[in-house]
Amino acid sequence: MELKFRHRDYKAEEQVHSFRPVAAETHPLSFQSPSYDQVDVTDYDRDEFFDPLRGNYGKPEDPMKDLGSTTTEITAEPYRDIAIQFLGKEWTSYKKVLMQKFPVSKMISVSSLSSSIMKTGKGPEKPSANVHLEELDDPQRFAEEGVKYITLQEYVSRLTELKDEISRAWHANDRVTSLNLSIKVAKLLSDTSVLQLYPTLFVLATEILDMLGDMVWERIRQKAEYTEDGTLVDLPDNFQATEICTEAKETCYNWFCKVGSIRELLPRIYLELAIFHCWRYLLEQPADNLPRLVMMARGIADPLASFYCRLYLAHCAQKINQRDIGHLIISLNDMKTLLMNAAHVASAEKTSGVLSGTRSSKLGLMEAAIEYVMKCLFRESRELQVGDILMGLGLGRNRSELFGNSSCVSLVLHYLLRELPIGIICSNALDILHLIECSNDYSFDQCLNYKLLGLRLCENISHVNEVNLVMKKVIQVVSRFNSLDEYLNMVDTHIDIVLQKDMKSYLDSILDGIFERITDDEIGENELSSLQSIVLKLLNHFDNLEKILQLDRFNQILSVMPGSSRTIINMRILSIATRSSYVRDPTTIQFLFEVSRSLHDYIDLSTIKDKENNHCANLIFRFIHMVDYGSDGERHLAFLVQCRGVFGSMSEVKETIVHSSNLLVVKAMRSGSNYVTFVKSCIACSEVTIPSIPSHLKQLNLYLETAEVALMAGLVSHSDGLVDSALRCLHSVDLLEGSRMPKDIDGFQSTLCKFCSLIVMIPGNIELGVTSIPRNMFSILSSLSWMLPCVKAKALCALILTVAALSQNNLPYHAIHDEVKGNDSLFYCDQQYLQEFLSFAVVLLQCLIDTILQEPIQAAGANLALDACNAIAASFEVCQGASDICSKLVETAKLSLSSDNKYLQSTVEFLKNRGLIQRGEL
C-alpha cells in the first residue's frame, strides 16, 4: 500500500475556517418596541390559553370576577356554619394531638367502678354510692379486687359498644336508655386513678357525649320547624328563641330538666355541656348560663377531672354564636388557684427531696387544659380586650399597667405568653421579664418561660421597646443560672436580638458565660443541640470568617463540641469560607485546616451516608483549591504536602493537591524568577501523590496534566518519565469494573485524544525510536481485552492524525519553553524519520479497517467507516491506495445509512473535494 502524508498549512487553514466578526446593526439585548403589524389577532373569547407574560397586549381580565362570586358565596353562607365547621376541624385535630402527646401502653389498669360502668346491656347495675360504701366497709378486699387489667383495644371496644348502643336506643325512640347510658359514660370521667389513660378516656367519652348532643339538637330542630298551627317552615341557622314553637321549647326544657336531675355533679355538668347549644331554642343569650356551669365545676374535687371539665366547657361554649370571654377568665383563675395549691405542695416536696412523680405527671396532664382554654380566650377576644383579660387574670392593675402585679403561676404564664399579641409583648418586655422572675414555682420550669419570651420577641425585634434595657435585664437574669442547659436554652432565643442590634458587649458576655459553664459541666445531648443552634446563628449572622474569628471564646467553644454537632458546624464554616475566590490570611488558613482535619477525622470514624460524605469531601478539597499564599510558593507547597498527609483517605482531595501543585508550577514560570528547583519539587509532589488515587483513569489524566506542565517548564526528562507512567497506567485501565458494558467511554476517548495531542509536543527519542510513544500506545490499546471496536477505532483515527501531524515540516503547536525543540526542528526533512512514521501509519490504517469490520452494530460500523474516511482524507495525499480504501469504506457506510444522512453526505462531499473519489463515482 503506497501512501504519502499530506502537507498541511495549519495557519492558513485556521484563517479559512475561522468566522469573521461582522458588526450587528442593533445590539441583541437592546430594547425593541413590539411590531404590532406582525402580531396575529387572537380570539379572546376562547379560553384555550392565557399567557401571563403578554402583559397589557392581551385582553384584560376582570380582577373582581372570581373574587365577587367567592364573596357572594361566603356572604350567603351563614356565619355559624362556617365557625362550627372550622371549630369542628380544630377540635378533631386537638384530640388527635392530645392522644399522641399522652400515649397509653397496650395493657391498662381499670378500677372496678369503671369496669362495672363500662359493661354493656340493660342488666341491674350497682349504684356508685353502694360501691363507695363497700369500699369503706372492706377496704382491703376492695383494694385487691379494685384494679383489673385489660388491653387498650378491649377498653376502646367497650366504649365503642356503648356508643353504638346509645345510637341504637335513640333511633329506636328509647331516649331514656340513651340518656342513662350517656350518664354512665360521663361517670367514667370521674375516675383519674390511671393518669396516663385520662386524656384518651376524655377524647373517647366526649365523642360519645357530642354525639348525644347532636342527636338532641336535631330532634328539637325537627320540632322547631313547625309553627304553633302546625305549618312547616324553613328554620334559618341564625334563628332567634322567639321564633321557636312551644312544643320544641317544651322538649328542650324537658331535656335540661332530665340532665339537671342527675345526682352526681360531674355527669350532670358534662351532660348539660353536651346539649348546651340547645339553650339557643330557649334563650336569646345562651352564654348567660356559662358562669353558672363554671361555678358548678368548682365542686369537682379531683383537680385533673376539674381541669378537663373546664376544657370541655370551653369547647362547648364555642358552639353558640356569642363572643363571651368572662367564663374563660373565671375558668383560668380557678385553675390558677388549684395550681397554686398544687405548686405549694410540690414546692414542699421538692424542698424535702421527694417530689412525687404522680404529682409531676398530673401537672403535665393539666397543661393540655390550660393550653386549650387560653387559645379559646384569645381567639374569642379582640386586641383591644387584651388589657381587660390581663386585669381579669389578676396581672394588670389598670390599662396603663398591664403587668403591674408581681407574680403568676408559671404554667399559666407560659401559655399566656404563647397567645399574647406580639405588640403587647414587645411593648411590655421589661415588665414581663420582671413577672417571669417573680413567678418561680414548680408548676413549670422558669427558664422555659424566659426562652419563650425570647422567641416571641424575635418575631418582631424592631418593635421591642427599650431593647438595651431589656437585654441588660436578660443578661443579668441569665447569669444567675449555673446550669449549662438552662443557660444555653435562654441564650439561644435571645442571641438573635443581640446580633441584630449589634450589641457586641452583650455578645462577649454571653460567650464568656457559655465558656465558663462548658468547662464546669458535662455537655449532654440537649446542651449540644442548643450550643449548635447558637454557633450556627453566629455563623449565619456574620457570614464572614474573619469577623467570626475575632469573636472572643469562639475557638475555645468550638473546640469542646464533639460528634455530629461539631461536624455540622465545621461544614457550615467551610461553606462560608469557600464562597470567596481565595483564602490568603495565614491564620485563617490554619484555622480552616484544623476545621477540615476535624471533619475528615469524623468522616473516617463514622458511618454516615455517602451523600454527606461526598459533601464533606467537596468542602475540604474546595478549601484546599482556594488557598493562595501569593508569591510564597514554598509555603503553599508545604501546605499541600501537609494536606496529603492528613487527608490521604480522600481521593478527591489528592486530585486537588495534584492540580494545585501543577498550578504552582505555572505561577512560578509566570513570575520569571529562578524556579527550576521549586518546579521539580512540585512535580515530585504530584508524582508521589498520583499513584495513591484508586481510579486508573483519573491517574492517567493527572499524569498527562503533570507531563504537560513539566514540558512547559522545560523538564523533558521529567516529562518522558511521566509519559511512561501514563502508558503503564493506560495498560491498567478497565472501564468494565465488573459490569458487562464499559463505563465513561466518552471520558476515556477524550483522555486518549488529549494523550495524542501531547505526543505532538514531545521531542522524539532517537535511541528508542521516534515512534516509540505512539507505538507503545497502539500496542497497549490492542492488548486491552475489554476494548470495544468503536472505542478502538476512534483511538486509531486519533493516532493516524497524530502521526500525520508529526510528519509535517511545521508542527501545529509547540511547547512554550524555548529550550524544548519540536520534532519539526529536530528531524526537519529527515526521510528516515518520515519513512518510520509512514510505515507505522500503514499498520494503523490496516488495523483500523479490521476493527471497523469487527463492529457488530451495522449503524455504528457505518459511522466508524465515515470517521476513518475523514481521518484518511485529512492525513494523506491523493493516491490510488487511499482512494480505494475510502471508496470501500463509503460503500460500507451506505449499506447501513440512508442516502439523506447528513454525516454521510458531508463526508462524501469532503472526499470529492479532496479528489479521493470522483464526482460521478458514487
Side-chain angles (χ1 to χ4, degrees), residues 561-620:
M561 293 183 66
S564 60
S565 293
R566 175 68 181 274
T567 300
I568 293 171
I569 298 300
N570 287 339
M571 291 174 65
R572 182 60 186 158
I573 291 173
L574 287 177
S575 296
I576 293 173
T578 53
R579 290 176 183 172
S580 306
S581 56
Y582 53 80
V583 182
R584 290 178 176 170
D585 180 62
T587 304
T588 305
I589 292 174
Q590 185 59 35
F591 171 74
L592 292 176
F593 178 78
E594 296 299 331
V595 168
S596 300
R597 185 206 295 268
S598 174
L599 190 58
H600 171 266
D601 294 342
Y602 178 77
I603 293 173
D604 285 345
L605 298 175
S606 66
T607 56
I608 58 178
K609 297 178 181 179
D610 291 339
K611 186 176 181 181
E612 296 177 0
N613 197 341
N614 290 336
H615 182 53
C616 295
N618 290 337
L619 290 173
I620 292 174

Side-chain angles (χ1 to χ4, degrees), residues 86-115:
F86 171 76
L87 293 173
K89 292 180 180 179
E90 184 188 38
W91 178 245
T92 302
S93 175
Y94 174 78
K95 289 189 293 185
K96 289 180 180 179
V97 172
L98 187 63
M99 294 180 69
Q100 292 170 358
K101 187 176 181 180
F102 302 102
V104 184
S105 59
K106 293 182 179 180
M107 293 297 297
I108 57 175
S109 58
V110 182
S111 67
S112 59
L113 175 61
S114 296
S115 180

Side-chain angles (χ1 to χ4, degrees), residues 316-362:
C316 295
Q318 295 176 87
K319 295 181 181 180
I320 58 174
N321 185 15
Q322 290 183 358
R323 291 178 175 269
D324 181 82
I325 61 174
H327 72 282
L328 296 171
I329 293 176
I330 297 172
S331 291
L332 281 172
N333 283 328
D334 290 346
M335 288 190 282
K336 276 174 57 180
T337 302
L338 292 172
L339 281 174
M340 288 174 67
N341 296 333
H344 175 73
V345 175
S347 177
E349 293 179 350
K350 186 78 173 180
T351 305
S352 62
V354 289
L355 182 60
S356 170
T358 302
R359 189 176 302 280
S360 175
S361 59
K362 185 175 287 190

Side-chain angles (χ1 to χ4, degrees), residues 685-726:
C685 175
S686 297
E687 285 181 307
V688 173
T689 306
I690 293 173
S692 62
I693 296 173
S695 171
H696 291 292
L697 184 58
K698 290 181 178 179
Q699 285 187 32
L700 177 59
N701 279 295
L702 293 173
Y703 275 127
L704 295 177
E705 177 188 310
T706 309
E708 184 177 355
V709 169
L711 204 61
M712 291 169 58
L715 304 177
V716 178
S717 60
H718 287 75
S719 178
D720 289 342
L722 288 163
V723 169
D724 290 340
S725 298

Side-chain angles (χ1 to χ4, degrees), residues 60-281:
E61 294 285 342
D62 182 7
M64 298 301 292
K65 180 179 178 182
D66 294 333
L67 183 61
S69 61
T70 305
T71 307
T72 304
E73 291 171 7
I74 292 177
T75 306
E77 187 175 4
Y79 166 78
R80 182 178 177 278
D81 283 355
I82 299 175
I84 289 179
Q85 287 177 12
F86 171 76
L87 293 173
K89 292 180 180 179
E90 184 188 38
W91 178 245
T92 302
S93 175
Y94 174 78
K95 289 189 293 185
K96 289 180 180 179
V97 172
L98 187 63
M99 294 180 69
Q100 292 170 358
K101 187 176 181 180
F102 302 102
V104 184
S105 59
K106 293 182 179 180
M107 293 297 297
I108 57 175
S109 58
V110 182
S111 67
S112 59
L113 175 61
S114 296
S115 180
S116 63
I117 291 175
M118 290 174 63
K119 289 179 181 178
T120 58
K122 298 183 180 180
E125 177 187 342
K126 189 182 297 184
S128 58
N130 295 350
V131 174
H132 291 309
L133 289 174
E134 290 180 5
E135 181 182 1
L136 293 174
D137 293 338
D138 193 352
Q140 184 175 359
R141 181 184 63 82
F142 194 87
E144 293 174 354
E145 300 177 359
V147 178
K148 296 183 180 181
Y149 291 92
I150 61 173
T151 63
L152 177 61
Q153 184 63 39
E154 186 179 357
Y155 189 87
V156 174
S157 298
R158 291 185 184 180
L159 282 174
T160 305
E161 290 174 7
L162 272 173
K163 182 178 181 181
D164 293 340
E165 192 169 345
I166 291 171
S167 178
R168 285 195 300 269
W170 182 272
H171 290 99
N173 294 324
D174 190 355
R175 320 293 184 198
V176 176
T177 300
S178 293
L179 178 60
N180 290 334
L181 292 175
S182 300
I183 294 171
K184 292 174 64 174
V185 172
K187 284 181 180 180
L188 291 172
L189 294 167
S190 62
D191 182 10
T192 61
S193 57
V194 185
L195 292 179
Q196 199 70 10
L197 176 65
Y198 197 80
T200 301
L201 170 61
F202 174 80
V203 169
L204 298 174
T206 52
E207 284 183 358
I208 297 173
L209 296 178
D210 286 339
M211 180 191 71
L212 176 70
D214 293 339
M215 290 190 297
V216 172
W217 170 272
E218 288 300 324
R219 173 169 171 75
I220 300 172
R221 183 183 180 86
Q222 291 173 4
K223 293 181 177 292
E225 289 179 343
Y226 291 90
T227 60
E228 298 291 351
D229 58 1
T231 305
L232 179 65
V233 295
D234 186 13
L235 186 67
D237 287 311
N238 56 347
F239 64 85
Q240 302 295 321
T242 54
E243 303 175 34
I244 305 303
C245 64
T246 304
E247 183 181 0
K249 284 187 175 183
E250 288 178 353
T251 302
C252 182
Y253 185 72
N254 183 41
W255 271 101
F256 281 108
C257 288
K258 290 177 182 178
V259 170
S261 64
I262 300 173
R263 289 182 297 174
E264 296 187 36
L265 178 62
L266 188 67
R268 185 163 70 249
I269 296 176
Y270 269 101
L271 265 297
E272 182 169 349
L273 289 175
I275 64 171
F276 183 79
H277 52 300
C278 296
W279 278 112
R280 289 189 58 204
Y281 294 111

Side-chain angles (χ1 to χ4, degrees), residues 21 39 54 98 190 235 304 337 402 424 491 538 640 657 853:
V39 177
R54 290 182 66 92
L98 187 63
S190 62
L235 186 67
L304 183 60
T337 302
L402 296 181
I424 298 295
V491 166
L538 291 173
L640 294 177
I657 291 172
L853 296 176

Side-chain angles (χ1 to χ4, degrees), residues 47-64:
D47 296 331
E48 295 179 358
F49 175 73
F50 172 70
D51 185 359
L53 302 180
R54 290 182 66 92
N56 294 327
Y57 302 118
K59 181 180 179 180
E61 294 285 342
D62 182 7
M64 298 301 292

